[in-house]
């Protein structure tokens, strides 16, 4: 199946270049450490800000990941070839799956660090929220990453376009992680966000490949 | 696959998904579980010890200023919560208006607020004619 | 050109509506019993927000129209509406903040509708930013249309957030089930509706003018005329006009 081969290809690129890993892992480590210092040693405060820190760091890490959506292909000059060989939907499925994986790893790394460093309880709903939030965020990241792949002023535009679009994930992911919060409505909100973002990205992706 | 290849079909799918998702969220009872502030009845039924936002109407004749502290009763028609607020009041804080306070409930049942926001009802009353409608309880503010 | 024939009467109607709205909102409508004259900000804040939402609706429709038809007329309509919407959203936020200070006692509240309106502003600033990325006019238009479609999802969330969260922001006064009866004194309602008409007409007039100017700019830069996705004639055969030929670097 072509999509499976595209995902294998994305993983292969990552293993060979380690672009995303080198961009994201140090950022996550430093961000969680600095957040812990910023919010102070009081354990109640740290526990209260833990869910928000996890999703804030994950959301901010989406910006460097978006810059890498088509970077390897453009460096090697094979982006046009790839666009010719596979259909836009297959290419999107491959990119989306790879980005989902990237964001899931980012989220899991952040959550594990926060759970250790902040000490914070981890409700079950918050673990379900991880993959759900990462999926919708991955769709937006792929869309804006492809859109701004060739722009010069892209980093400012990326933050203005991508980060506010991920706001529902930040809000719902944080709310789910707070102790004593109602999990279901927020998970439903995440599902709604996923559906809308994946469908919207699928609809506009062929246009992004026209260049 | 070909049937979904045209831009028209793709945009139609986006429209259907948008309408479907928003319709589902609007129709389902999800909005009931999302609460921006608690009402006095809710706070008295299950007192929470963390930070709470409490919203209600400032009961007429209950506002007393003791030194720098403002004391008043916040009501939703069924229950009252005594509130102590140490701070400057800004805005059109007055009796009979809605207010949202943020703070903690002590063991004696007094709410110690550090933030006071005036929630004005969506009624605009003629200032010359002075026709005064008694405001509806804040609990009924959600449509 | 049809747009010029519409543009003039719309402009005059906007002038007439503004002339009617100014005395109605400033003098005839009574001050609010609790808020006093500050409440008159409603006559600017509410219409600005309304026209901004309307403008973003136009961006959504025009973006979809461009993706379907690949006609730059749709793109110019979207760009003009987005510029209008961004300006009016900013105006509405600033006025709302000025109104909230005396009434709520705060400049800013973490209210869902406020937050999502700021997000709207950011997304459409990004939308306008995407248009300057390339020197290729069609590429810019395609990218902008994509952002326009992706942003549509945000507008309903703005509306629904009022209903979802029991928020500090008061529920909408006029646009709610049951109609305006018994909520607003008649003179206030008349003043508000006149101000709404004035804002809408003025915005429509500005929008039409902007579209005409954008079309003229496209013509000067030698962008292929409406309806043509690719130039019908190879560029070498077209005799370049001095100074205006070719695209700007």
């Amino acid at each position: 199946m072509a999509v499976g081969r595209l995902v294998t290809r994305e993983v292969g690129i990552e293993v060979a270049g380690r672009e995303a890993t080198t961009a994201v892992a140090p950022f996550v480590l430093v961000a969680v450490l600095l957040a812990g210092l910023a919010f102070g040693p009081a354990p109640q405060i740290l526990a209260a800000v833990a869910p928000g820190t996890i999703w804030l760091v994950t959301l901010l890490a989406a910006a460097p990941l978006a810059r890498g959506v088509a970077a390897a292909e453009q460096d090697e000059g094979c982006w046009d070839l790839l666009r010719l060989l596979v259909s836009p939907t297959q290419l999107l499925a491959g990119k989306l799956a790879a980005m989902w994986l990237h964001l899931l790893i980012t989220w899991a790394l952040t959550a594990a660090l926060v759970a250790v460093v902040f000490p914070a309880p981890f409700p079950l709903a918050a673990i379900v929220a991880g993959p759900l939030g990462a999926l919708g965020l991955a769709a937006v990241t792929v869309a804006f990453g492809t859109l701004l792949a060739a722009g010069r002023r892209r980093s400012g535009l990326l933050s203005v376009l991508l980060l506010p679009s991920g706001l529902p994930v930040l809000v719902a992911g944080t709310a789910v992680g707070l102790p004593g919060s109602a999990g279901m409505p927020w998970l439903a909100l995440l599902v709604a966000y996923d559906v809308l973002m994946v469908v919207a990205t699928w609809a506009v992706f062929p246009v992004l490949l026209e260049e | 696959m070909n049937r979904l290849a045209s831009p028209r079909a793709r945009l139609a799918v986006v429209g259907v998904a948008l309408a479907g998702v928003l319709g589902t969220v609007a129709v389902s009872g999800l909005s009931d579980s999302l609460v921006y502030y608690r009402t006095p009845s809710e706070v008295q039924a299950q007192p929470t010890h963390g930070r709470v936002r409490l919203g209600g109407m400032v009961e007429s004749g209950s506002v007393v200023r003791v030194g720098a502290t403002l004391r008043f009763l916040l009501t939703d028609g069924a229950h009252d919560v005594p509130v102590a607020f140490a701070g400057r009041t800004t805005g059109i804080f007055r009796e009979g208006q809605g207010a949202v306070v943020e703070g903690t409930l002590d063991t004696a049942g007094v709410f110690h607020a550090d933030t006071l926001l005036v929630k004005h009802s969506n009624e605009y009353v003629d200032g010359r004619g002075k026709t005064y409608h008694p405001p509806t309880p804040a609990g009924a503010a959600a449509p | 050109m049809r747009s010029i024939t519409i543009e003039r009467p719309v402009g005059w109607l906007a002038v007439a509506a503004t002339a009617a709205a100014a005395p109605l909102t400033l003098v005839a409508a009574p001050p609010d019993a609790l808020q006093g004259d500050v409440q008159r900000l409603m006559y600017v804040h509410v219409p600005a927000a309304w026209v901004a939402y309307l403008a973003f609706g136009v961006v959504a429709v025009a973006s979809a129209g461009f993706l379907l038809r690949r006609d730059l007329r749709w793109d110019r309509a979207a760009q003009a509406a987005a510029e209008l919407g961004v300006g009016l959203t900013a105006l509405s936020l600033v006025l709302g903040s000025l109104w909230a200070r005396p009434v709520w006692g705060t400049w800013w509240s973490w209210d869902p509708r406020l937050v999502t309106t700021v997000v709207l502003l950011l997304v459409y600033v990004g939308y306008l930013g995407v248009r300057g990325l390339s020197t290729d006019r069609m590429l810019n238009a395609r990218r902008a249309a994509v952002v326009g479609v992706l942003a549509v999802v945000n507008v309903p969330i703005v509306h629904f957030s009022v209903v979802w969260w029991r928020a500090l922001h008061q529920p909408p006064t006029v646009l709610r089930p049951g109609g305006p009866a018994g909520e607003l004194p008649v003179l206030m309602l008349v003043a508000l509706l006149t101000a709404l008409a004035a804002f809408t007409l003025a915005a429509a007039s500005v929008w039409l003018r902007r579209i005409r100017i954008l079309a003229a700019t496209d013509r000067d830069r030698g962008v292929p005329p409406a309806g043509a996705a690719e130039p019908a004639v190879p560029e070498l055969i077209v005799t370049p006009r001095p100074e205006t030929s070719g695209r700007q670097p």
Side-chain angles (χ1 to χ4, degrees), chain B residues 58 62-64 70-74 81-85 93 99 101 116:
Chain B
V58 181
S62 72
V63 181
V64 187
L70 190 73
R71 290 177 178 278
F72 56 91
L73 287 176
L74 215 54
V81 172
V83 178
F85 171 66
F93 175 81
V101 289
L116 169 69

Side-chain angles (χ1 to χ4, degrees), chain C residues 44-136:
Chain C
V44 191
H45 170 74
V46 173
W50 151 253
V51 178
Y53 290 160
L54 189 69
F56 292 142
V58 171
V59 175
V61 171
S63 295
F66 178 79
L67 288 183
L68 293 177
R69 298 259 176 275
R70 297 305 166 99
D71 183 338
L72 280 176
R73 275 181 298 188
W74 288 101
D75 178 66
R76 292 191 285 262
Q79 182 182 349
E83 288 168 351
L84 206 58
V86 163
L88 286 170
T89 309
L91 178 72
S92 161
L93 280 169
V94 169
L95 290 175
S97 183
L98 288 177
W99 189 9
R101 177 61 188 161
V103 173
W104 291 347
T106 177
W107 295 108
W108 169 262
S109 145
W110 286 102
D111 166 78
R113 187 149 65 156
L114 277 177
V115 177
T116 25
T117 307
V118 172
V119 169
L120 262 183
L121 180 64
L122 286 177
V123 167
Y124 283 95
V125 166
Y127 169 89
L128 291 177
V130 163
R131 300 183 154 275
L133 277 180
S134 164
T135 47
D136 181 345

